[in-house]
Amino acid sequence: MIPILEIGELHQTDKPVRAKENFLVFGSPDIGEPEIKEVVDSLRTGWLGTGPKVQQFERDFLAYKQADHAVAVNSGTAALHLSMLAAGISKGDEVITTAMTFCATVNAIIHSGATPVLVDCDPISCCIDPDSILEKITHRTKAILPVHFGGHACDMDRIMKIAREHNLKIIEDCAHAIETKYNGKHVGTFGDFGCFSFYATKNVVTGEGGMVLTKNKEDADKIKILALHGMSDDAWARFTDDGYKHYQVTQAGYKYNMMDLQAAIGIHQLKKIDRNWIKRCEIWQYYVDELRHLPIQLCSDTPYYTRNGHHLFTILIDSEKVGITRDQFLSKMNLEGIGTGVHYRSIPSHPYYNETYGWDEAQYPNSFMIGQQTISLPFSSKLTEDDLNDVIRAIKKIINNV
Ligand SMILES: *Cc1c(COP(=O)(O)O)cnc(C)c1O
């Protein structure tokens, strides 16, 4: 991560007294010695690109998710884009997704040639509202792209039923939800495609990286070919001691393959996935216990039949109750030395979507409200009890001084 240097840090004498002495970076990855050793091993063997470590990472990920087929790619965005293409989605089609998500979800739809259609989210879980999906289905609708927001599972029973009744593909955006389950089943294994991200701030990191889970082998093969220029054979096998094999380009593909250097990190991150998840469960409880009496709304608990992957811990700042706006609150947290995130301003709030599709924030009131009020607190498994106390102290100080 890029260290954030504040003006206050340049002049020791001018330094304000703040809750956190050394700036606490939001979303800092929890990297250990095994990840470092494995990357060094890749460097020493010289196998940097797609190779045995990527295969290993795919196998380990499949075992963890109890899924059938996996293809590693170089980002969550690539995972979404290739899933769209493998699902046969193209120009003239419509894909329904949520107004409360990261821009990459919507961009993947756009890059497939299809038209994104937004629906509002549930105000509590921030996941897509199934009733609103029904209202937006037309004869052009080809797929639904639910986002398991912050680690919450979407209502997959309802969404799968809608998909069956209307013959729609399901592409799950699981960028926040590696550990998430719904009725005991891993998310990303309900739909035709499950897309994951290992970006530096996610629960399992490879720096940049992603994965697609598919139900059937044909889809996995399609994605594998599309991820490597449209070449018919695994290019990494070209240079093995089996002798040179010609590859054939069967379509104009992309350059979306994962490197061994990335998989090297992911293999060891996966080994710690349960430990890190339990740590975040503890952090979650600590935040809830310490913040529940303040005039801010905390992110919701999880229904008993789901397991929350715990990617985000969010609070809502309602300026009527707190006395300052969310953006003012953000600046004050920064001054206290606490890095925060905003997940997310609603999709229609961004000029490109607003101008291109004519989407108006007011048509998606829950997403708009969350986009105006939400703050994500530091939530890495790396946080110490001191870090947490500093975050809590900063929040209380800001609220009490308004
Ligand atoms: C991070 C993220 C993505 C994109 O993943 P990248 O690996 O950064 O490309 C997609 N959707 C959501 C909801 C995300 O949070």
Side-chain angles (χ1 to χ4, degrees):
M1 299 297 289
I2 302 160
I4 296 171
L5 191 63
E6 283 203 285
I7 293 164
E9 290 174 351
L10 295 172
H11 310 284
Q12 285 295 321
T13 47
D14 297 345
K15 205 159 149 185
V17 181
R18 61 186 196 181
K20 188 77 183 158
E21 187 91 11
N22 298 310
F23 193 86
L24 186 65
V25 176
F26 177 80
S28 74
D30 195 347
I31 301 289
E33 216 37 57
E35 285 92 323
I36 295 168
K37 286 211 178 89
E38 197 73 44
V39 169
V40 170
D41 180 70
S42 284
L43 294 171
R44 292 206 194 284
T45 60
W47 205 316
L48 309 181
T50 306
K53 285 182 185 165
V54 169
Q55 285 197 325
Q56 175 76 43
F57 186 42
E58 286 172 345
R59 277 198 301 271
D60 294 352
F61 197 75
L62 275 181
Y64 176 76
K65 294 295 290 182
Q66 297 171 291
D68 298 322
H69 306 280
V71 183
V73 289
N74 62 8
S75 73
T77 307
L80 289 166
H81 183 199
L82 294 187
S83 297
M84 292 290 146
L85 300 182
I89 288 160
S90 62
K91 200 165 163 39
D93 296 338
E94 291 176 357
V95 177
I96 295 177
T97 193
T98 164
M100 179 41 62
T101 186
F102 185 53
C103 57
T105 315
V106 180
N107 289 347
I109 299 172
I110 296 170
H111 293 316
S112 76
T115 304
V117 174
L118 295 188
V119 306
D120 205 3
C121 67
D122 178 274
I124 307 296
S125 70
C126 301
C127 289
I128 194 164
D129 171 30
D131 289 327
S132 309
I133 293 176
L134 278 173
E135 291 166 15
K136 295 286 179 88
I137 292 176
T138 72
H139 66 283
R140 289 172 183 267
T141 309
K142 285 285 158 56
I144 307 172
L145 206 172
V147 179
H148 301 291
F149 191 95
H152 289 282
C154 293
D155 188 346
M156 291 317 289
D157 279 350
R158 301 264 323 270
I159 293 171
M160 294 310 293
K161 184 163 178 282
I162 295 170
R164 272 193 305 274
E165 286 171 0
H166 294 85
N167 194 25
L168 305 175
K169 298 269 186 189
I170 296 283
I171 297 155
E172 298 175 70
D173 184 335
C174 307
H176 298 180
I178 300 179
E179 302 90 342
T180 302
K181 289 184 176 179
Y182 178 88
N183 278 334
K185 185 172 153 70
H186 275 282
V187 301
T189 65
F190 286 84
D192 303 275
F193 302 88
C195 301
F196 296 82
S197 166
F198 311 117
Y199 176 64
T201 59
K202 304 288 157 81
N203 289 356
V204 166
V205 306
T206 62
E208 299 284 359
M211 189 83 76
V212 186
L213 296 180
T214 69
K215 276 227 171 78
N216 62 62
K217 184 162 184 319
E218 299 83 78
D219 284 335
D221 289 344
K222 272 192 225 165
I223 286 176
K224 206 158 187 183
I225 290 169
L226 281 169
L228 200 63
H229 307 295
M231 288 173 170
S232 59
D233 274 316
D234 276 356
W236 74 273
R238 270 182 299 163
F239 306 112
T240 60
D241 51 12
D242 293 346
Y244 190 85
K245 273 199 295 202
H246 286 295
Y247 59 83
Q248 289 188 314
V249 177
T250 54
Q251 54 194 309
Y254 300 83
K255 190 69 206 299
Y256 281 170
N257 56 306
M258 179 182 273
M259 300 164 76
D260 264 27
L261 272 178
Q262 297 165 300
I265 306 171
I267 289 166
H268 294 282
Q269 285 274 295
L270 261 188
K271 291 188 176 149
K272 294 186 286 200
I273 190 167
D274 290 330
R275 190 203 76 181
N276 288 349
W277 179 75
I278 289 167
K279 270 205 79 178
R280 291 197 310 280
C281 290
E282 289 165 2
I283 294 172
W284 176 287
Q285 197 53 51
Y286 199 81
Y287 275 146
V288 168
D289 289 345
E290 293 293 323
L291 301 174
R292 69 189 341 150
H293 300 301
L294 299 176
I296 55 180
Q297 191 182 317
L298 309 184
C299 45
S300 74
D301 217 340
T302 303
Y304 69 92
Y305 52 88
T306 71
R307 176 168 84 170
N308 191 332
H310 285 323
H311 176 57
L312 299 174
F313 189 95
T314 57
I315 60 176
L316 296 183
I317 304 296
D318 179 347
S319 57
E320 307 249 301
K321 290 187 195 141
V322 180
I324 54 172
T325 64
R326 186 274 312 277
D327 286 353
Q328 289 169 324
F329 204 99
L330 281 178
S331 316
K332 285 180 186 283
M333 287 293 276
N334 204 61
L335 286 175
E336 293 297 336
I338 310 291
T340 51
V342 172
H343 301 88
Y344 300 94
R345 283 161 62 233
S346 78
I347 290 291
S349 306
H350 294 280
Y352 176 78
Y353 307 115
N354 175 278
E355 286 157 20
T356 309
Y357 299 101
W359 294 331
D360 177 3
E361 296 166 329
Q363 294 169 294
Y364 311 90
N366 296 333
S367 303
F368 181 53
M369 178 276 288
I370 290 158
Q372 293 279 88
Q373 298 191 3
T374 191
I375 295 183
S376 301
L377 302 183
F379 196 38
S380 161
S381 52
K382 210 169 79 177
L383 296 175
T384 64
E385 198 168 327
D386 277 348
D387 292 333
L388 296 179
N389 289 333
D390 291 338
V391 175
I392 290 157
R393 187 143 30 90
I395 294 171
K396 289 183 175 167
K397 183 173 160 191
I398 294 167
I399 289 179
N400 290 333
N401 288 348
V402 166

